[in-house]
Amino acid sequence: MRTLDLLRLTGLAAIWGASFLFMRIIAPVLGTFPTAFFRVLLATVGLLAILLAMRARWSFDGKLGACLVLGVVNSGIPFACYAVAAQLLPAGYSAIFNATTPLMGVLIGALFFAEKMTGAKLAGVCFGLVGVALLTRTGPVAFNMELLVGALACLGATACYGLGGFLTRRWINDRGGLDSRLVAFASQAGATLAMLPLFGLSVAIEPPTSWGDGTLWASLLALGIGCTAFAYILYFRLLADIGPVRTLTVTFLIPPFGVFWGVLLLDEPLSWAYLQGGTLIAIALWLVLKPAPAEPEPDIPTEVRTSGLEPERRTP
């Protein structure tokens, strides 16, 4: 990858790592669906302002519907899942579980998108599952039903992210591509439309005991504008430039940032389980994402090479 792409990945990891910190502040006060709804609503408004300021060309080339549905898969459902996890788990846990996104991408790609499942990828999935199990069993949070529900919510979110990467490639990028800013805006708008009735229903049935203070709403602004609106512009640009699997390598870098922000600003405990489980997941990601060995060139007889009839060589 180019140096610029690596810088984008690192910046995206720092921003998304901070999102777990903000959700830990917001979700226990507002609840699941209000947190997810305000996040995507603020992201939609922020992206609209960015597009208007940049005088973007409003042309979806017939892909608006696909972008709206993509937003439900890639934002609405995962954000609700992580809001559930934020009420049950430290930010560091959610950030480390988030690193299973490429593993989910491998499984979903093999099951539904005819992606090849190699031995290395299968071993990577196994290492990742062991890392998740190690973290849940030996981490600083006691193993109980709340921890299990939070972990499953995180894994549900990463499954959506894995699926979203392939849907973006099939629906958006394989048909000529689309301005990444428009994809980000339309996807957040679709997530907002999907979350709106759930938000209204949750508030009607069980309204939050408090709507928070200035710190909470400042965290919401940071979560919606910085960690979502701006971050998704980076994310969709990377998907278009380097593809879904390489873009998902951002999850290598999110766990250290997520743990760091939680320890620094929320006084969350450090644990060797973070290092142990995170290392196993990192090994899993390396196995899943390492380049496949190049196929050997065919052995062409000397008389064929010198006759001018050598077959055309194609780059894999």
Side-chain angles (χ1 to χ4, degrees), residues 54-247:
M54 299 180 73
R55 297 182 179 181
R57 178 174 172 267
W58 292 86
S59 176
F60 289 93
D61 298 329
K63 301 175 184 177
L64 177 59
C67 291
L68 293 174
V69 175
L70 182 64
V72 179
V73 175
N74 211 51
S75 296
I77 299 173
F79 291 171
C81 288
Y82 277 125
V84 171
Q87 299 171 66
L88 304 170
L89 302 177
Y93 269 61
S94 295
I96 292 173
F97 286 139
N98 186 75
T100 63
T101 297
L103 309 183
M104 293 297 186
V106 166
L107 290 174
I108 290 170
L111 290 172
F112 302 109
F113 294 92
E115 294 285 322
K116 184 178 180 181
M117 174 65 82
T118 64
K121 289 181 178 179
L122 183 59
V125 170
C126 294
F127 268 101
L129 293 175
V130 173
V132 169
L134 180 64
L135 179 60
T136 55
R137 294 294 297 183
T138 64
V141 177
F143 184 79
N144 52 30
M145 184 56 66
E146 287 190 353
L147 173 59
L148 184 59
V149 170
L152 290 175
C154 291
L155 295 179
T158 59
C160 288
Y161 287 147
L163 175 61
F166 286 103
L167 292 180
T168 301
R169 183 176 68 180
R170 173 168 293 188
W171 292 350
I172 309 298
N173 297 332
D174 275 359
R175 293 185 286 169
L178 190 65
D179 188 333
S180 60
R181 298 168 298 176
L182 294 180
V183 178
F185 167 74
S187 67
Q188 295 310 300
T192 301
L193 292 174
M195 288 294 107
L196 178 59
L198 296 173
F199 164 70
L201 186 62
S202 69
V203 170
I205 294 174
E206 189 177 353
T209 56
S210 168
W211 287 99
D213 54 13
T215 300
L216 184 142
W217 287 95
S219 298
L220 259 176
L221 284 172
L223 181 65
I225 304 298
C227 299
T228 310
F230 178 69
Y232 265 80
I233 288 179
L234 289 179
Y235 172 72
F236 283 110
R237 179 60 185 269
L238 285 166
L239 281 176
D241 288 349
I242 63 178
V245 174
R246 287 183 178 178
T247 298

